[in-house]
Amino acid sequence: MELNFSSKTYNGITAPYALWMAVFIVAPLLIVFYYAFTDASGAFSLSSIQSLGRYTDTILRSVYFGLLATVICLVLAYPLAWIFSKTKSGTQKVLVMLIMIPMWMNFILRTYSIMVLFEETGIINNFLRGLGLSPLHLINTSGAVIFGMVYNYVPFMILPLYTTMTKLDHKYLEAARDLGANGFQVLKDVMLPLTKSGIVSGVTMVFVPSVSTFYISQKLGGGRYTLIGDVIEMQFQTAYNYHLGAAISLILMIFILISLAVMNRAGGTENGAVVV
């Protein structure tokens, strides 16, 4: 049975999505651009853009924390995704469900759960005291902020890697071993190229929210490690300087778009070249 869609029918189907994009994507972006390049009187001004130099350290810290959290997520997720893909179909469903269940919980509640673990009188330190050991200073540290990023975003790294690995043709791995490749060579020359699309997807899905997060740094960092997301929230919620907040948001958006373009270019096609 052949289905023919006219251009009028196609336009009718896509019209609601176009309207949605116009209202919730295009319009907010135009508002950001307007506030970023105007002053309090509404006149064209570059003062907000020029003042961004004061936040260079904050931007670099955000990028550093985001990159570190992304690398940790990749190191943790890659073997886990491989283990998931090697199990039986029923077991795979259970394991994926266990990964997804924490994501059903509100983001704020997940962050508070880490605070309960890391506080000076939290579960971990109370357990150490019970063993007669000295408590650890875990909360309000850079490590706590990065841990919060990893905990909240590691499922977004596992799922695309798992999806890619389930489609992996294991004949390539067997051929590499038959040709004398050791475990490291199989990983470097076969596994990584064939799962590159999953790696790029996971890195994108983890790095973007990590570099722009703000709530994690406030609650787990105790305000000591201000990130770019914190500055944006401060401008809109406390300082009421919408123009500076929009300018910082614009720069962050441009940086994220550039990062996405670089990672998508690095991803290439799903089946990369394999050299053994």
Side-chain angles (χ1 to χ4, degrees), residues 35-49:
Y35 276 102
F37 292 101
T38 57
D39 56 19
S41 64
F44 176 79
S45 174
L46 294 176
S47 58
S48 297
I49 300 295

Side-chain angles (χ1 to χ4, degrees), residues 46-266:
L46 294 176
S47 58
S48 297
I49 300 295
Q50 293 171 346
S51 62
L52 293 177
R54 294 180 296 175
Y55 302 100
T56 302
D57 292 341
T58 302
I59 295 174
L60 293 177
R61 184 185 303 115
S62 300
V63 173
Y64 172 70
F65 279 19
L67 286 174
L68 189 55
T70 302
V71 171
I72 295 174
C73 284
L74 179 59
V75 171
L76 293 175
Y78 202 89
L80 280 176
W82 175 247
I83 293 171
F84 288 6
S85 67
K86 295 288 286 182
T87 59
K88 297 179 180 179
S89 177
T91 306
Q92 289 182 19
K93 295 178 181 179
V94 173
L95 293 174
V96 172
M97 181 65 67
L98 291 176
I99 293 295
M100 292 301 299
I101 285 177
M103 306 307 296
W104 297 350
M105 189 187 306
N106 185 274
F107 176 84
I108 297 176
L109 293 179
R110 295 202 304 270
T111 305
Y112 267 104
S113 68
I114 301 175
M115 293 176 61
V116 173
L117 290 173
F118 282 5
E119 285 178 344
E120 301 297 333
T121 57
I123 295 175
I124 294 177
N125 280 326
N126 284 338
F127 177 75
L128 293 176
R129 290 188 183 95
L131 296 177
L133 302 175
S134 300
L136 302 174
H137 179 62
L138 302 173
I139 199 69
N140 300 335
T141 62
S142 59
V145 175
I146 295 172
F147 180 88
M149 293 179 180
V150 172
Y151 171 74
N152 280 289
Y153 302 132
V154 71
F156 299 123
M157 183 71 76
I158 294 176
L159 294 178
L161 286 172
Y162 161 75
T163 302
T164 303
M165 290 179 180
T166 55
K167 301 176 182 177
L168 183 65
D169 190 347
H170 292 268
K171 292 180 180 178
Y172 289 112
L173 307 182
E174 296 173 0
R177 295 190 186 98
D178 291 341
L179 292 173
N182 56 36
F184 177 75
Q185 290 173 324
V186 171
L187 173 64
K188 179 176 69 72
D189 297 327
V190 182
M191 283 284 295
L192 291 179
L194 291 178
T195 58
K196 184 167 61 174
S197 61
I199 294 173
V200 172
S201 297
V203 168
T204 302
M205 295 174 68
V206 172
F207 178 73
V208 170
S210 294
V211 77
S212 58
T213 189
F214 61 94
Y215 191 79
I216 294 175
S217 54
Q218 293 176 9
K219 296 303 178 182
L220 300 181
R224 299 180 183 180
Y225 304 93
T226 304
L227 303 181
I228 192 66
D230 299 315
V231 177
I232 294 173
E233 188 207 20
M234 185 187 307
Q235 300 304 320
F236 283 101
Q237 298 291 335
T238 306
Y240 299 106
N241 190 344
Y242 301 149
H243 304 278
L244 180 57
I248 301 173
S249 300
L250 180 61
I251 297 300
L252 179 61
M253 181 173 57
I254 293 174
F255 174 78
I256 289 175
L257 290 176
I258 293 174
S259 301
L260 291 176
V262 171
M263 285 185 280
N264 287 334
R265 185 177 180 84

